[in-house]
């Protein structure tokens, strides 16, 4: 866990470059590849929380995505470099609630994703509680990220608002 200067800061992934195959006939990132970008950046955050490839290989425990709500805010093009920021909103014995943003290198937000994830025993597969040794890291991030403002898009639902 890298705790240097974390209090009040989001987790930020390594830079992610767009790949030519991800760009659609409209000249921008195809909607499916926003998920790929969120997955790559989100996997870095999960590893920071203790749920990386080694965790899965050694313990046969992992994280599955149960639900995602993506908002597409601004187009991403082939020459763009982005990072994914992640905020642990909440967790319970078996679930993680996170909020992520794809942030362009110039600082603007391209997309947001609110995610509900499950802790899974791959031998089942079945949803199981987090091991005791993982809980301090989750508590640390929940506490650190609770000092940040709750993002406006957290808890948002889809619907046509009528006047």
């Amino acid at each position: 866990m890298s705790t240097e200067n974390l209090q009040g800061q989001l987790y930020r992934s390594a830079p992610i470059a767009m790949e030519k195959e991800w760009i659609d006939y409209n000249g921008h990132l195809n909607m499916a590849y926003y998920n790929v970008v969120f997955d790559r950046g989100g996997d870095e955050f999960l590893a920071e929380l203790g749920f990386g490839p080694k965790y899965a290989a050694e313990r046969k425990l992992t994280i599955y995505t149960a639900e995602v709500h993506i908002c597409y805010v601004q187009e991403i093009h082939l020459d763009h470099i982005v990072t994914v920021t992640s905020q642990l909103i909440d967790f319970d014995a078996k679930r993680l609630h996170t909020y992520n943003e794809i942030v362009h290198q110039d600082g603007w937000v391209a997309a947001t994703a609110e995610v509900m994830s499950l802790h899974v025993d791959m031998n089942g597969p079945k949803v199981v509680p987090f091991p005791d040794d993982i809980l301090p890291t989750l508590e640390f991030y929940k506490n650190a990220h609770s000092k940040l403002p709750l993002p406006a898009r957290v808890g948002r639902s889809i619907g046509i608002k009528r006047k």
Side-chain angles (χ1 to χ4, degrees):
M1 168 176 38
S2 4
T3 59
E4 296 175 17
N5 303 316
L6 179 64
Q7 288 301 97
Q9 292 185 21
L10 299 170
Y11 179 86
R12 184 175 299 275
S13 75
I16 301 169
M18 300 304 103
E19 298 182 19
K20 187 176 180 182
E21 308 77 50
W22 298 356
I23 306 303
D24 65 19
Y25 57 84
N26 295 311
H28 60 249
L29 189 66
N30 178 276
M31 65 177 278
Y33 291 101
Y34 281 82
N35 279 307
V36 171
V37 173
F38 276 124
D39 191 52
R40 287 187 180 179
D43 276 353
E44 286 184 36
F45 183 52
L46 289 175
E48 178 72 14
L49 294 176
F51 305 114
K54 182 178 176 183
Y55 179 81
E58 292 177 0
R59 296 191 184 195
K60 302 299 182 220
L61 297 169
T62 194
I63 300 294
Y64 281 13
T65 301
E67 183 175 347
V68 179
H69 185 157
I70 294 178
C71 293
Y72 304 94
V73 179
Q74 195 164 333
E75 293 179 3
I76 299 174
H77 298 277
L78 181 59
D79 61 339
H80 291 178
I81 306 292
V82 301
T83 57
V84 175
T85 61
S86 298
Q87 182 175 355
L88 179 60
I89 302 297
D90 201 3
F91 74 94
D92 65 13
K94 302 176 184 179
R95 297 175 296 184
L96 298 173
H97 179 194
T98 58
Y99 176 80
N100 308 281
E101 293 183 342
I102 296 174
V103 181
H104 186 272
Q105 63 188 3
D106 291 341
W108 47 265
V109 174
T112 66
E114 185 175 7
V115 183
M116 184 63 67
S117 303
L118 306 173
H119 186 250
V120 173
D121 179 339
M122 293 187 288
N123 293 311
K126 65 181 178 179
V127 180
V128 296
F130 298 113
D132 289 341
D133 63 311
I134 294 292
L135 296 175
T137 302
L138 294 177
E139 287 290 350
F140 174 83
Y141 273 93
K142 181 180 176 188
N143 181 50
H145 288 172
S146 72
K147 293 173 178 35
L148 299 166
L150 188 65
R153 286 196 168 95
V154 169
R156 183 179 163 153
S157 64
I158 296 174
I160 299 172
K161 295 181 177 33
R162 308 268 184 209
K163 292 183 180 185

